[in-house]
């Protein structure tokens, strides 16, 4: 059979709607999973034993089970306990919960590279725990964690496609519809594949610009890792 | 009257067992093929063979930056339309996962190959070793050793990814979960069980990987002492 992209072009507006949903879901989940991951990372190294155990169990469970199983659990499970599930909010929730586990590990690794001397110095200046985190630990830790976090965000963007299995009308979901309508699966999925590449390259670009904007200054400060 | 069997039975365990077998089959075959293909592609990329090396880069970037689900759809639904090649669900799943794994393997192995200092190549050539000999006896043994831990991690994380092949109809663990769910409508029993099986598999694999890594470390010590 001949390769013919014109049916894809005629349904371009519909595919672009899907792209908009993908971008929306991805952006929401990136912010949520980052915030949740940060919280989990702090719990993971907290002095309170219960928080530490909770965070490590959470991270272990979410990192070692497939995302699609977590998604089905939430999407089919929540209505059982009386919470109605819309595909999109459930999808964003599941994505955020799953990716938070990975983010937490990355951020924790970053925090562990910050030398204890900095914390001691902060304490001897009379800084509070919050201030030590906000002004000493996090800027340094996030600088170390930022690039691996960027990879995690790219992964998150790719994982949004799985939400199409619970009928979210994202790029992958709409592509399946267009492919069924036009009977041109090869052309449709090839176009969508390249579109996803474009999205992830954009995300990488944004991640790099944020690094340059926020952390190139942090890098100039002395004493970051290791003990003197 | 609509008949629905809402209870679990012993036969359901068999369904899960078959699902587990499919998951392990798809995973192990595609890991073997993918890592093998990735190895060959890494050598092409590292040797900078004109045109071929650039093609490898495009291949790697495309498959690392697009969702596995779309890749599966492209192979399973798309390929039969434009080629005489019409894979069934399992073949399409293994094919796609292998290619996906190969793309990630290339990244690991090329990094490991590039990490071998230039001086070793020069030393080898001053001993009169050919490119092939240098690669076989000097560079690859070290590069493979560095690439093993990330490749093992990749394989462990790909185990979770295999769950997506259920979408194109492979009756793997996730698919059997879906079958049981649609029959019994008990999400709080089924999905935790399915998740637990994946969890145990991942833990066992991680333990094996940790053991291999410890062995590698033990072997590395003479090397580091000499360096």
């Amino acid at each position: 059979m001949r390769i013919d992209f014109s049916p894809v072009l005629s349904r371009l507006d519909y595919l672009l709607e899907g792209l908009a949903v993908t971008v929306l879901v991805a952006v929401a989940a990136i912010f949520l999973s980052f915030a949740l991951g940060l919280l989990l990372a702090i719990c993971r190294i907290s002095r309170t034993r219960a928080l530490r155990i909770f965070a490590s169990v959470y991270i272990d469970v979410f990192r070692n089970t497939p995302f699609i199983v977590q998604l089905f659990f939430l999407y089919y499970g929540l209505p059982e306990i009386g919470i109605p599930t819309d595909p999109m909010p459930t999808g964003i929730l599941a994505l955020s919960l799953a990716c938070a586990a990975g983010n937490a590990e990355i951020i924790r690794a970053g925090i562990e590279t910050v030398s204890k001397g900095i914390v001691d110095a902060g304490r001897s200046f009379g800084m509070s725990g919050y201030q030590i985190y906000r002004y000493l630990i996090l800027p340094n830790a996030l600088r170390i964690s930022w690039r691996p976090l960027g990879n995690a965000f790219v992964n998150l963007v790719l994982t949004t496609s799985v939400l199409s299995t619970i009928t979210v009308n994202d790029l992958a979901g709409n592509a399946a519809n267009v492919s069924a309508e036009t009977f041109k699966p090869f052309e449709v999925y090839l176009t969508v594949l390249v579109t996803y590449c474009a999205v992830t390259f954009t995300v990488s670009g944004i991640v790099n610009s944020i690094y340059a904007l926020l952390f190139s200054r942090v890098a100039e400060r002395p004493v970051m890792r290791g003990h003197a | 009257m609509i008949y629905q069997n809402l209870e679990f039975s012993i036969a359901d365990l068999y369904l899960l067992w078959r699902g587990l077998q499919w998951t392990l089959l798809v995973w192990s075959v595609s890991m073997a093929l993918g890592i093998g293909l990735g190895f060959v592609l890494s050598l092409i990329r590292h040797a900078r063979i004109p045109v071929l090396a650039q093609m490898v880069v495009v291949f790697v970037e495309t498959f690392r930056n697009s969702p596995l689900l779309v890749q599966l759809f492209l192979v399973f639904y798309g390929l039969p339309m434009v080629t005489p090649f019409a894979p069934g669900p399992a073949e399409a799943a293994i094919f796609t996962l292998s290619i996906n794994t190969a793309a990630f393997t290339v990244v690991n192995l090329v990094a490991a190959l590039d990490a071998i200092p230039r001086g070793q190549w020069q030393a080898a050539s001053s001993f009169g070793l050919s490119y092939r000999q240098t690669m076989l006896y000097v560079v690859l043994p070290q590069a493979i050793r560095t690439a093993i831990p990330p490749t093992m991690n990749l394989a462990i994380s790909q185990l979770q990814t295999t769950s997506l092949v259920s979408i194109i109809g492979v009756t793997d663990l996730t698919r059997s979960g879906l079958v049981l769910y649609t029959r019994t409508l008990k999400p709080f029993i089924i999905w935790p069980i399915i998740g637990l099986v994946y969890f145990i598999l991942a833990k066992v694999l991680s333990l094996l990987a940790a053991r291999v890594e410890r062995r590698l470390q033990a072997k590395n010590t003479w090397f580091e002492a000499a360096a």
Side-chain angles (χ1 to χ4, degrees):
Chain A
M1 196 180 259
R2 220 157 47 82
I3 293 181
D4 176 16
F5 277 93
S6 55
V8 183
L9 290 177
S10 69
R11 299 295 277 133
L12 204 60
D13 51 337
Y14 183 62
L15 287 174
L16 286 176
E17 273 172 37
L19 178 62
V21 171
T22 291
V23 170
L24 177 72
V25 167
V27 169
I30 283 175
F31 278 105
L32 279 173
S33 70
F34 176 72
L36 200 56
L38 187 59
L39 214 61
L40 277 170
I42 292 171
C43 287
R44 180 79 177 69
I45 52 171
S46 126
R47 264 196 233 116
T48 318
R49 192 148 173 269
L51 285 179
R52 257 199 333 262
I53 292 174
F54 167 76
S56 54
V57 169
Y58 178 99
I59 291 168
D60 219 25
V61 167
F62 277 87
R63 288 187 73 196
N64 288 303
T65 53
F67 174 66
I68 196 166
V69 172
Q70 298 163 16
L71 185 67
F72 287 161
F73 178 73
L74 283 177
Y75 184 63
Y76 298 124
L78 287 182
E80 296 278 303
I81 52 170
I83 304 169
T85 47
D86 267 345
M88 200 145 102
T90 316
I92 294 175
L93 179 70
L95 256 180
S96 310
L97 292 177
C99 295
N103 292 351
E105 279 298 88
I106 294 170
I107 296 171
R108 180 186 63 94
I111 290 176
E112 279 174 354
T113 62
V114 178
S115 84
K116 201 165 175 318
I118 297 186
V119 180
D120 290 340
R123 213 167 271 139
S124 73
F125 272 94
M127 289 170 92
S128 68
Y130 167 78
Q131 285 173 320
I132 290 173
Y133 257 106
R134 166 69 185 78
Y135 297 105
L136 301 180
I137 296 178
L138 286 186
N140 288 318
L142 287 181
R143 184 179 66 84
I144 304 281
S145 306
W146 193 249
R147 290 193 190 283
L149 274 176
N151 284 335
F153 294 157
V154 165
N155 242 320
L156 187 153
V157 172
L158 299 182
T159 314
T160 57
S161 65
V162 179
L163 300 190
S164 64
T165 59
I166 59 161
T167 71
V168 173
N169 284 322
D170 70 335
L171 187 54
N174 283 6
N177 293 343
V178 172
S179 140
E181 268 173 41
T182 60
F183 218 60
K184 291 274 175 205
F186 185 79
E187 292 83 343
V188 172
Y189 290 125
L190 194 62
T191 312
V192 167
L193 198 90
V194 174
T195 313
Y196 272 108
C197 286
V199 174
T200 55
F201 284 138
T202 313
V203 170
S204 302
I206 294 173
V207 166
N208 287 339
S209 328
I210 292 178
Y211 185 90
L213 202 70
L214 290 183
F215 298 118
S216 50
R217 257 177 340 123
V218 182
E220 285 158 22
R221 289 178 195 160
V223 195
M224 219 85 55
R225 33 196 332 195
H227 300 270
Chain B
M1 196 187 110
I2 297 168
Y3 172 75
Q4 193 155 26
N5 181 8
L6 291 166
E7 295 309 313
F8 291 103
S9 73
I10 294 290
D12 297 342
L13 278 180
Y14 181 70
L15 190 67
L16 284 181
W17 170 239
R18 293 294 303 197
L20 179 62
Q21 285 177 323
W22 270 110
T23 292
L24 287 176
L25 178 80
V26 168
W27 178 76
S28 50
V29 174
S30 52
M31 284 311 109
L33 291 177
I35 291 169
L37 178 64
F39 181 75
V40 175
L41 293 181
S42 308
L43 292 184
I44 294 175
R45 166 79 184 79
H46 184 255
R48 295 180 203 283
I49 301 170
V51 186
L52 279 183
Q54 280 79 6
M55 279 165 70
V56 170
V57 173
V58 172
F59 163 83
V60 168
E61 290 307 320
T62 313
F63 280 86
R64 281 177 69 214
N65 286 294
S66 57
L68 183 76
L69 195 63
V70 176
Q71 294 165 16
L72 281 168
F73 287 161
L74 184 67
V75 169
F76 184 60
Y77 298 116
L79 274 194
M81 306 297 274
V82 292
T83 61
F85 178 57
E91 288 102 345
I94 289 172
F95 180 78
T96 316
L97 266 172
S98 306
I99 285 185
N100 187 274
T101 309
F104 285 97
T105 308
V106 169
V107 179
N108 292 339
L109 198 55
V110 164
L113 284 169
D114 286 346
I116 306 295
R118 206 75 231 125
Q120 294 203 14
W121 283 95
Q122 288 157 356
S125 82
S126 74
F127 273 105
L129 294 185
S130 67
Y131 177 86
R132 212 180 120 249
Q133 285 170 321
T134 314
M135 205 57 175
L136 262 179
Y137 302 120
V138 181
V139 174
L140 272 181
Q142 303 174 62
I144 288 177
R145 206 167 283 175
T146 5
I148 283 177
T151 307
M152 285 192 305
N153 286 339
L154 170 70
I156 293 170
S157 75
Q158 289 291 71
L159 176 73
Q160 317 293 338
T161 318
T162 58
S163 60
L164 291 182
V165 304
S166 61
I167 304 299
I168 58 164
V170 180
T171 46
D172 72 335
L173 204 51
T174 306
R175 188 93 213 161
S176 15
L178 212 49
V179 168
L180 288 179
Y181 166 70
T182 38
R183 205 196 71 214
T184 61
L185 299 174
K186 291 191 174 78
F188 284 121
I189 299 175
I190 290 157
W191 296 121
I193 290 177
I194 302 285
L196 184 69
V197 178
Y198 278 106
F199 185 87
I200 293 170
L201 283 179
K203 282 289 157 192
V204 170
L205 288 174
S206 306
L207 279 178
L208 288 176
R211 178 177 274 191
V212 172
E213 212 163 318
R214 262 201 309 278
R215 274 217 177 154
L216 280 177
Q217 222 118 57
K219 272 195 181 159
N220 264 351
T221 40
W222 71 267
F223 179 78
E224 271 150 24

